[in-house]
Amino acid sequence: MSAHPAPERLHDLVDGRLSNDETRDVARHLETCEACRDEVEAIRLLLLRLERLPREVAPPSRIWPQVASRTVERPHPRGIRWIPAVAAAGLVLIAGLWIGGAFRRPIHAPLPPPSPGAEAAARPAEVIAGLQAESARATDHLLAVFQARRDRLPPDVAAAFEESDRSVARAIAEVERALDRHPDDRRLAERAARTIRQRIALLERAVRMASRPL
Amino acid sequence: MDADEFHHLYRSEAGRVFALCLRLTADAEAAGELTQEVFVHLWRKRGAMDGVENRGAWVRRVAVNVALNRLRSERRRLRRVAPVEDLERLAPPPRVTTDQTLALEAAIGALPPGARAALVMHDIEGYKIEEIATMTGTTGGSVKSQLHRARGLLRKALGR
């Protein structure tokens, strides 16, 4: 068996970047080397999976109005959908029911006295800021995937998910503002953490539903 | 190009532009901003598009340039505030593995920026090594090295 070709030569082979002579040499080696054959096969398989990725991902609907306002000075695209008041109320109700568990108490409830030794530990508001930053990427990604597949869901279901997500995002922002004012309130922080986790769970559920085979 | 034509161009190309920006940045918020920048740029330079046969390819080329400029300036900014070895840590993989495609997208998003750009542009968007080298201001050898690294990391992340 001839010497193993350098790994980059196997990539070049798959990419069709070798000359005829080089291709012949590597092909001759592959006939007798199972390890290199497996390597080539694995690269091909990966490329096949990459080729099958969707070429389009629907951008968030807010992008066109922003583009239009900076270009053709048309604040809203034509044919914007009119949402009947009844349907809108229904969506808000769904959102309200969904986040009910996270917001049984008003967020401006009396605060507990600071616990002894609280100075030494990370402040609750800092913990939440870290959690929020950590979850932002997952949230963004889930939203993008959901947007790409929202057409697979009935329009009312997709809209309900979106409205619920907006409501939860607003709720998180509200608790965060409260935490800005009371950065040592652990109950506020716990509520914020719970709501952030619930938002991710909601989005994961939306993505799972939208990913089911048609 | 009038407003209606421009809106038509947006409707037909925004999905590909957003997908490209999303994969290059691994950040949906940034991808939205970049998509906006791409179309604002196209509108401002619309006169240059009149004689272009393949407008889709033109639009995507603009998108790549806008996204790469953003990545370059972002990298410069990060270099000022973070040690280089921390850069890869700044793009943790999204915790999403609902199905194979999601796992693949997540693994692409977790690649280091240079490797990710090489992979997205070559293996997904179909640009040639030499074109990528020109667009990124590097050499073909460097692009290939990043590409092979990206494929290796993806295989590792996906379990083979």
Side-chain angles (χ1 to χ4, degrees), chain A residues 123-144:
Chain A
R123 302 179 86 180
E126 292 167 356
V127 175
I128 292 306
L131 178 65
Q132 178 70 320
E134 200 181 319
S135 67
R137 192 170 292 275
T139 307
D140 287 348
H141 185 79
L142 285 163
L143 273 171

Side-chain angles (χ1 to χ4, degrees), chain B residues 84-105:
Chain B
V84 172
E85 59 268 27
D86 283 350
L87 288 180
E88 293 183 12
R89 248 181 346 103
L90 293 173
R95 283 170 278 174
V96 184
T97 51
T98 317
D99 61 25
Q100 279 198 338
T101 302
L102 282 181
L104 181 55
E105 295 277 21

